[in-house]
Amino acid sequence: EAGVAQSPRYKIIEKRQSVAFWCNPISGHATLYWYQQILGQGPKLLIQFQNNGVVDDSQLPKDRFSAERLKGVDSTLKIQPAKLEDSAVYLCASSLRGDHTGELFFGEGSRLTVL
Amino acid sequence: KNQVEQSPQSLIILEGKNCTLQCNYTVSPFSNLRWYKQDTGRGPVSLTIMTFSENTKSNGRYTATLDADTKQSSLHITASQLSDSASYICVVSGPGDSWGKLQFGAGTQVVVTP
């Protein structure tokens, strides 16, 4: 079974530039998440999708971050303009269901460095 | 304040030795607790999951214990191998929480040396 796919794996940009990350969840998984993991910290939820609808985006900095999940399958996360503090690993995860009873599968992450 | 605290922050152990990682949480009410292993540059991978009614769960050389009364969990690694070098993250959820409401610890960085 294919896992959660993410790209690019690494990205280096200058502050005020824009960047986009892509995620393809495990086939059939209705729920997709984007997490931000700063070095030395645990993942922090940015946004949760159920199919193509947003369930929780309360911690998404909406002035610069945006995310979409068209057709309820793959998703993109965009940052525009980037700040130095956005340097982190962006993890995509998916699960069959959106509750705590299902397993959560993570992708390998996209590491962003903002100079 | 983080509701999940892990200790130590990091540790170095010799190959073949055992070690124990700690996780204290304040999430209440509590539903389940998971331990994840995160290799450097990779995504987290689930090791164990325990509900409030369980007090131990094993996965190969990894054994997790849970004391729901004291709100403490530990992860014991037996006969460590070089491949055990990773960050170990404790994750706690309350009843009815979606995965988005999970409380993540900051992780314990384990380095296994030859």
Side-chain angles (χ1 to χ4, degrees), chain B residues 1-27:
Chain B
K1 185 182 187 321
N2 197 354
Q3 297 187 58
V4 180
E5 299 287 346
Q6 293 189 240
S7 63
Q9 190 173 27
S10 64
L11 67 92
I12 301 174
I13 59 173
L14 290 176
E15 185 179 11
K17 297 297 186 182
N18 305 334
C19 69
T20 300
L21 316 180
Q22 300 292 337
C23 173
N24 296 337
Y25 62 92
T26 58
V27 175

Side-chain angles (χ1 to χ4, degrees), chain A residues 9-10 33 35 37 40-43 45 48 56 58-59 91 95 97-104 106-109 111, chain B residues 9 31-32 34 36 38 40-46 49 89 93-102 104-107:
Chain A
R9 289 296 313 278
Y10 306 94
Y33 314 80
Y35 286 90
Q37 186 175 25
Q41 300 181 17
L45 178 73
Q48 175 185 351
D56 185 351
S58 58
Q59 298 188 90
L91 293 166
S95 66
R97 298 186 299 273
D99 62 20
H100 64 283
T101 63
E103 185 55 89
L104 188 64
F106 285 90
E108 302 286 32
R111 180 177 296 276
Chain B
Q9 190 173 27
S31 178
N32 62 59
R34 299 172 186 247
Y36 279 84
Q38 186 174 23
T40 300
R42 311 292 294 272
V45 175
S46 180
I49 174 172
I89 303 173
S93 72
D97 278 346
S98 73
W99 281 104
K101 301 300 184 185
L102 294 179
F104 286 80

